[in-house]
Amino acid sequence: MTLTFKPLETYRDDFSFANSAEAIARFPFPFPEDQYMYSVNLEPATSRDPGSVFEHLFDVDEHYVSEMAERARVLELDPQRCLVMPHMAQAAWDSVALLMESLATDYPEHFRLTRAGTAWHWQNLALGIDQRFTFGDPATLPCEPLEYITRQMQGDFALLDQRDNDLFMDAGMVTCPADWSLRFDAGMSFQQWHTPVPMAHRAGVFERALKYLLNIQVGQPVRRLNWTLTINPRLDTSPETYHEWGNDRGKVSADNAGKLVHLRVELQLMVRLPRSNALMFSIRTYLISLDELVSNPAWARRMYRVIRDLPGPIADYKGISRYRQPLLDWLRPFDPDA
């Protein structure tokens, strides 16, 4: 499949973002059943389903150029969305190597990497970047290494330091979060930054997940899907910008839900980094409006049933409760058995 990029779209103001028919077809619909309950749902991150979001370790799609422009905009407004604690410098270089190697291997028509020892030459043809640098020497890059490479990657990235039988969020680039903040979570342990999630703690989900993640080996990445709903195709739904988007939830009606409400799916990837032993946690976000989603009748029917039967605490946590009824009113006609 030839990868082509759409003209510049917006994730704020006039919200010109939209999916092509091809993007809709490859959207990672997250519900294998008619009901949803929080689960770990980890699987090996092996290549499968050519053309899908699971083909490559890091997925690049038609919205690449637009997302990179949005990231640059967020960083211009708030440079602290990228944070690297001093002891995470090696993990940052680990990330440079992994991300450049992956892009150059999987998308050679858009990304190229040549190496001669520590002398590296990186070309990002999509963004017009041509950079020669010395691997391991931050002075040879225009900005800090993690910021440099993640300014060219779709999705958010957290680098987790493993110590004391736990994982700590000690570095990251987070400009498109689903209502969480790197600035707030920085330095927290795995259990601490998951404290707000309801019901899962009672079920012991996070204890099992942490044990699993601590044992991830180099060369054995894993992935999972997570989801929520977002009003408008807004990538940056961070606490820092809540004043810009919080009131949007009150605008949903049974007439406009198809246009306003977007299913937001995160393809979460966990990769052990070889030099630093840190764990890379990448969060690749996909957005689809309900108008687009219901072009698939099976998705439309299941979406109605999932939202209808979603436990109250989970609906509250995901911010859905405020507009759940008008959303169900809009979705109901797509379920013939409703």
Side-chain angles (χ1 to χ4, degrees):
M1 184 184 73
T2 303
L3 174 60
T4 56
F5 305 126
K6 294 183 69 177
L8 207 60
E9 306 167 295
T10 56
Y11 300 88
R12 58 181 69 227
D13 301 325
D14 61 342
F15 294 108
S16 63
F17 169 91
N19 289 297
S20 68
E22 293 77 13
I24 294 172
R26 74 193 299 271
F27 187 84
F29 188 70
F31 305 119
E33 301 171 347
D34 285 349
Q35 287 187 312
Y36 172 81
M37 175 53 72
Y38 192 91
S39 64
V40 176
N41 66 45
L42 287 165
E43 68 171 26
T46 53
S47 177
R48 63 174 170 88
D49 306 330
S52 78
V53 303
F54 306 112
E55 180 177 9
H56 301 305
L57 197 61
F58 298 96
D59 184 49
V60 176
D61 68 9
E62 63 182 29
H63 305 295
Y64 176 75
V65 175
S66 301
E67 283 194 38
M68 296 305 91
E70 170 68 7
R71 167 150 292 161
R73 175 66 175 149
V74 174
L75 289 170
E76 179 185 357
L77 296 170
D78 186 359
Q80 294 185 49
R81 297 295 190 92
C82 186
L83 179 154
V84 181
M85 296 184 184
H87 65 279
M88 299 299 285
Q90 189 174 42
W93 282 109
D94 257 337
S95 303
V96 170
L98 174 64
L99 299 178
M100 286 186 177
E101 290 164 359
S102 295
L103 292 185
T105 298
D106 295 334
Y107 307 95
E109 70 276 24
H110 297 295
F111 308 96
R112 296 173 188 167
L113 177 65
T114 55
R115 292 170 292 186
T118 59
W120 288 33
H121 182 198
W122 169 247
Q123 294 172 286
N124 181 330
L125 306 181
L127 299 182
I129 294 172
D130 191 311
Q131 182 75 46
R132 297 180 186 273
F133 65 99
T134 301
F135 186 83
D137 182 358
T140 59
L141 286 175
C143 59
E144 187 279 328
L146 182 67
E147 178 183 345
Y148 178 78
I149 189 55
T150 54
R151 276 180 175 267
Q152 303 174 55
M153 294 294 302
Q154 290 174 273
D156 285 334
F157 293 82
L159 301 185
L160 313 179
D161 189 35
Q162 184 162 324
R163 60 183 188 272
D164 303 328
N165 215 32
D166 209 338
L167 295 168
F168 296 85
M169 194 177 293
D170 289 348
M173 166 71 87
V174 179
T175 63
C176 49
D179 203 6
W180 67 281
S181 166
L182 174 65
R183 185 182 299 138
F184 182 78
D185 289 353
M188 285 189 180
S189 70
F190 184 84
Q191 296 281 7
Q192 287 173 327
W193 83 72
H194 281 109
T195 296
V197 182
M199 301 177 73
H201 291 279
R202 273 206 315 266
V205 168
F206 292 121
E207 289 84 352
R208 295 196 302 274
L210 176 59
K211 186 176 181 180
Y212 184 93
L213 295 175
L214 289 171
N215 288 299
I216 290 177
Q217 302 298 307
V218 173
Q220 297 180 358
V222 298
R223 65 188 170 216
R224 67 183 293 267
L225 293 177
N226 192 27
W227 71 277
T228 189
L229 299 181
T230 294
I231 309 307
N232 293 312
R234 187 186 294 275
L235 277 175
D236 181 17
T237 56
S238 61
E240 288 91 340
T241 57
Y242 182 81
H243 61 284
E244 297 175 9
W245 56 267
N247 288 334
D248 290 346
R249 292 168 175 169
K251 300 175 182 177
V252 178
S253 70
D255 296 322
N256 65 21
K259 178 177 184 291
L260 290 188
V261 179
H262 286 65
L263 176 59
R264 180 189 190 106
V265 175
E266 297 174 348
L267 175 56
Q268 300 179 349
L269 177 72
M270 281 67 72
V271 187
R272 179 70 65 189
L273 300 176
R275 300 169 182 83
S276 60
N277 199 46
L279 196 67
M280 174 186 282
F281 178 40
S282 82
I283 307 165
R284 176 70 164 82
T285 297
Y286 300 84
L287 293 168
I288 187 171
S289 71
L290 293 192
D291 278 341
E292 294 171 336
L293 183 144
V294 299
S295 63
N296 183 319
W299 289 359
R301 183 172 61 250
R302 178 155 290 174
M303 191 77 197
Y304 169 72
R305 296 177 182 183
V306 165
I307 299 301
R308 179 192 65 191
D309 298 336
L310 198 64
I314 295 180
D316 290 342
Y317 171 66
K318 292 183 180 290
I320 298 170
S321 297
R322 186 174 178 185
Y323 56 91
R324 188 177 188 172
Q325 193 54 55
L327 174 58
L328 287 172
D329 292 342
W330 189 90
L331 282 170
R332 189 177 295 109
F334 297 98
D335 184 355
D337 299 324

